[in-house]
Amino acid sequence: MSALLPGVKARERWRGLWLTLALLPVALLWLSPLYLMGVFATQPDAAILSADTPLLPGGELFANIGRIVAIATFDRALLNSVLVALAYALLSAALSSLAGYAFARYRFRGRGLLFGLLVATLTVPYAVVIIPQYVLVARDLSLANTLVAVIVPPLFNALGVLFMRQTFLGLPAEIVDAARMDGAGEFRIFFSVALPLVRPSLAALLIILFLASWNNYLWPLLVAPQPSARTAPVALGSLLTVNSVPPWGALMAGASLMTLPMVALFVFLQRHFVSGITAGAVK
């Protein structure tokens, strides 16, 4: 048996090598638009629009960043996006965790009905609710062009609640019962016992919510179009008009500034993301 192990390991190494070589063209195909975006961010508009597409970086990166800051107040928009995404991810994850824990651990009247309504909200297209939501926020509450209007209305996330419910269902009931027998209150059990045990899933949910808010375009465009409150995607979109040629170098510089933090976030937290998604899927 021990004599067979080296052969098995060698076959596994060769299999992994061939799989890597087979997937390499797919990876290059996926990365090529990101590479061209980075290259165009360092080029003047004339080079980008020329017949000979530049494939190597140029020297106009800081000039393009200065242009997008001057044209679209992109520095303020980028700061707004960071504030909105952080606040949304933290608050929505907290609400999703509380609701998911309640559905997983408590038995109360109407629990099945509420859970059915929660699942039913997933079938409602966003286009159906966005106009009433806008009327409520902008006209009735007078919150247009504020960060509160961008953050608060989308806070409830049905998928987040379902994800955390599945995660809490996987916790051993004996741990919660033991804490309750020791005299711990419900909030202490939740914050001191349950949440630390589902840390990978909570980290994965935070990453997903942060990315969703960071890339959100339609709702911030409707409720906060003014330069003082608009987010980075809205600021980038404002450069695309039908009456003039967009400043492509500045546009690519802004898109690169938006992309780099997300790539870095996923690279550094991918272990938590993968383990959290796997843990939340087991039940």
Side-chain angles (χ1 to χ4, degrees):
M1 182 65 181
S2 59
L4 295 177
L5 288 178
V8 173
K9 291 181 179 179
R11 285 197 298 271
E12 290 295 331
R13 284 196 297 268
W14 279 106
R15 188 177 302 168
L17 177 61
W18 286 114
L19 181 61
T20 302
L21 292 176
L23 293 178
L24 185 60
V26 179
L28 293 176
L29 183 65
W30 184 84
L31 290 173
S32 57
L34 295 178
Y35 175 76
L36 287 178
M37 180 182 67
V39 170
F40 290 166
T42 65
Q43 297 287 345
D45 292 349
I48 297 174
L49 298 175
S50 66
D52 298 326
T53 303
L55 298 178
L56 296 176
E60 297 292 321
L61 176 61
F62 293 104
N64 287 331
I65 293 176
R67 288 170 62 200
I68 195 172
V69 169
I71 297 172
T73 59
F74 193 71
D75 51 345
R76 176 65 180 270
L78 204 58
L79 177 61
N80 287 341
S81 282
V82 172
L83 295 176
V84 168
L86 282 175
Y88 172 78
L90 293 174
L91 293 175
S92 184
L95 292 176
S96 299
S97 299
L98 287 168
Y101 183 78
F103 278 119
R105 290 300 174 190
Y106 294 136
R107 301 292 182 267
F108 52 88
R109 182 175 300 177
R111 175 171 170 264
L113 176 62
L114 288 177
F115 187 73
L117 291 175
L118 172 71
V119 175
T121 59
L122 297 175
T123 66
V124 180
Y126 186 56
V128 175
V129 299
I130 192 170
I131 298 303
Q133 184 173 278
Y134 172 78
V135 172
L136 174 65
V137 172
R139 187 190 67 184
D140 299 339
L141 299 179
S142 301
L143 291 175
N145 294 305
T146 64
L147 296 185
V148 174
V150 181
I151 297 170
V152 174
L155 275 181
F156 175 75
N157 191 287
L159 281 177
V161 175
L162 291 175
F163 179 72
M164 293 308 297
R165 172 184 176 268
Q166 294 302 111
T167 301
F168 284 122
L169 282 175
L171 292 181
E174 293 79 7
I175 297 178
V176 177
D177 294 337
R180 190 173 290 119
M181 291 179 63
D182 288 340
E186 295 301 321
F187 278 101
R188 185 176 179 184
I189 293 174
F190 175 74
F191 287 106
S192 300
V193 178
L195 274 187
L197 293 176
V198 299
R199 193 177 305 163
S201 296
L202 186 61
L205 180 62
L206 282 169
I207 295 172
I208 293 171
L209 293 174
F210 187 92
L211 291 175
S213 178
W214 184 266
N215 294 322
N216 193 11
Y217 177 76
L218 182 56
W219 176 246
L221 174 66
L222 288 177
V223 80
Q226 294 299 321
S228 60
R230 66 187 178 188
T231 57
V234 178
L236 286 180
S238 67
L239 300 179
L240 299 174
T241 62
V242 296
N243 299 320
S244 61
V245 178
W248 289 111
L251 195 64
M252 293 297 103
S256 299
L257 289 177
M258 281 196 64
T259 303
L260 287 177
M262 297 300 97
V263 174
L265 179 69
F266 186 79
V267 168
F268 286 111
L269 299 179
Q270 61 177 327
R271 179 172 60 87
H272 299 284
F273 181 78
V274 173
S275 61
I277 291 294
T278 305
V282 176
K283 184 62 184 175

